[in-house]
Each structure stands twice: as structure tokens, then as C-alpha cells.
Amino acid sequence: MKPTVMIVEDEASLVTMLRYNLEKEGYNVTEASDGEEAVTVAGETPPDAVILDWMLPRMSGIEVCRQLRRKSETRHVPIIMLTARTEESDKVRGLNVGADDYLTKPFSMPELIARVRALLRRAKPSQSKGQLTFGDIVLDLDAHRVTRGGKSIHLGPTEFRLLQYLMERPGTVFSREELLNGVWGPDIYVEPRTVDVHIRRLRKALNAGDGPDVIRTVRAAGYSLDDAVA
Ligand code: CA
């Protein structure tokens, strides 16, 4: 059973490119070119995931997101929001209306595909959780094992969760606070500097071989798993 991914975007050339790449990955693809159509089509045949553009005719992506979350048929469908805006407030707003992930245009197709895969995996926790890959790094979620270039890498439980978090969202820069929330959880109080300690351990473990450093430190911003070196 192929999962169905719905593309909601009015820019025809981008839709064509998304469809081509998603189908190549083995997904069924449905389309809607405006917000109203998106809500109608998704309500009739709920997809397994939605790629939703922010700027749409008739109804904004935000409103589509809200409406999908209100309907019981589409309440739990994972949504990736596409946006051309980069301000942090926009990101927060997008996530507050119920989007599961968000990607700023222009984005790379491998990155989008990785996000779709991660969302679908998280949406179906009962099945095998599978693997995450980034460059020559493979994180096996079932066996709880990490390899790089085929060589086993030993990680502590926090480093494992940290790496998983970064691999599910490659290319995204996370502040220390975001990593604390995402990896340690919002209820745990630890110093933001604790993140640096675990990043350092993770980096050391990953870089024991010959591979390039895949963790990018962004001054005054945080950390990301970098696309450029993958
Ligand atoms: Ca658009």
C-alpha cells in the first residue's frame, strides 16, 4: 500500500517537480491548487500526508491547516508547511495552527523527501520505525544502532535522541532552547549549555572516522545537520 501525499500549491511548475519526485519515491500523489479545493479533497479522501503552501489563492495555507485540524477525518494527517518567509514568528505561527513541520522555499528535493518520510514514520508508530539516513550515517530506530560508512558508532541515549532529532529535520538550524524542548522535553530543566556538551560528544563520536563533520555550528543561533556536506 503506497502512502498518498497531497500537494497543495498553486505554482504549477513546483507541483510538477514535487509530483515527479514523490512518485519516484513510491508515493501516490494528489493535488489541490487552492485552499478551498484542498479542504474539500482532503475531507473526501484523507491523504497520509499533506505538503501545504502558505501562499494560496482563496484561502491561505494557515487557514487550510486550521480547517484540516478541525475535521475528524483529517485531524491527525501530518502537514508540512511550505513558506517563502523566514521570520521566526512565521515559523511559530505555522506550527501553532497545527502544522507538523515547515520548510522554507527554496528547498532541496532530498530534504523535502526526507521530511515527508519522517512525518509518515512518526504518524504510524505501530509499524517498524525503520531507518534514518543522512549521507553515510544510518540511524536504525528499531535496533537503536548508528553506523557511519558501515562502521558502528557508539552513542549514549541522549546523543542518540539528539542525532535522531537532527536527522529527522536535516538542514534546519535549531537553537539550544529548541533542542532542549525537542530532545529533553519541555518539562525537564537543564542548562542550555548542556546541549553544547552533548553536541560535542555526538560530534566526537560521529567524526571518529574519516567522514566530514556533519554538524554545523551556527554562531549565536544553534546547530544543524548540514546538507552541504552530506
Ligand atoms: Ca503558492
Side-chain angles (χ1 to χ4, degrees), residues 24-197:
K24 208 171 67 178
E25 290 296 314
Y27 297 115
N28 279 323
V29 175
T30 57
E31 290 173 18
S33 56
D34 70 61
E36 282 173 17
E37 188 190 351
V39 173
T40 309
V41 173
E44 286 164 1
T45 325
D48 296 294
V50 178
I51 298 170
L52 175 62
D53 190 41
W54 189 294
M55 299 294 281
L56 290 169
R58 304 230 273 241
M59 193 192 287
S60 75
I62 295 178
E63 188 51 33
V64 173
C65 200
R66 276 204 195 98
Q67 297 211 10
L68 292 179
R69 286 297 175 248
R70 254 184 244 137
K71 292 185 170 186
S72 60
E73 302 83 21
T74 50
R75 181 163 295 149
H76 301 292
V77 174
I79 298 172
I80 300 183
M81 195 93 133
L82 303 181
T83 171
R85 311 175 186 196
T86 53
E87 290 86 356
E88 195 70 22
S89 62
D90 286 340
K91 176 179 176 180
V92 171
R93 225 172 125 204
L95 294 174
N96 280 349
V97 296
D100 299 273
D101 201 354
Y102 122 116
L103 206 52
T104 306
K105 292 178 180 177
F107 51 85
S108 76
M109 279 299 154
E111 182 173 354
L112 178 90
I113 298 289
R115 304 278 188 102
V116 168
R117 223 183 273 142
L119 275 189
L120 287 169
R121 193 175 39 243
R122 272 182 280 167
K124 295 199 170 81
S126 58
Q127 294 179 354
S128 166
K129 287 172 275 182
Q131 293 186 335
L132 293 170
T133 59
F134 185 84
D136 59 350
I137 302 170
V138 179
L139 186 147
D140 188 319
L141 289 158
D142 297 307
H144 232 260
R145 246 197 329 250
V146 177
T147 59
R148 181 160 198 194
K151 285 184 193 149
S152 189
I153 287 173
H154 181 75
L155 295 178
T158 305
E159 285 73 39
F160 186 92
R161 288 204 309 275
L162 190 55
L163 180 61
Q164 179 184 344
Y165 192 79
L166 293 171
M167 285 179 84
E168 283 174 342
R169 304 154 184 87
T172 307
V173 178
F174 293 103
S175 68
R176 292 179 179 83
E177 287 71 23
E178 285 171 315
L179 289 173
L180 281 176
N181 265 322
V183 178
W184 279 261
D187 304 325
I188 308 279
Y189 181 76
V190 283
E191 288 277 331
R193 292 282 151 193
T194 306
V195 175
D196 299 348
V197 173

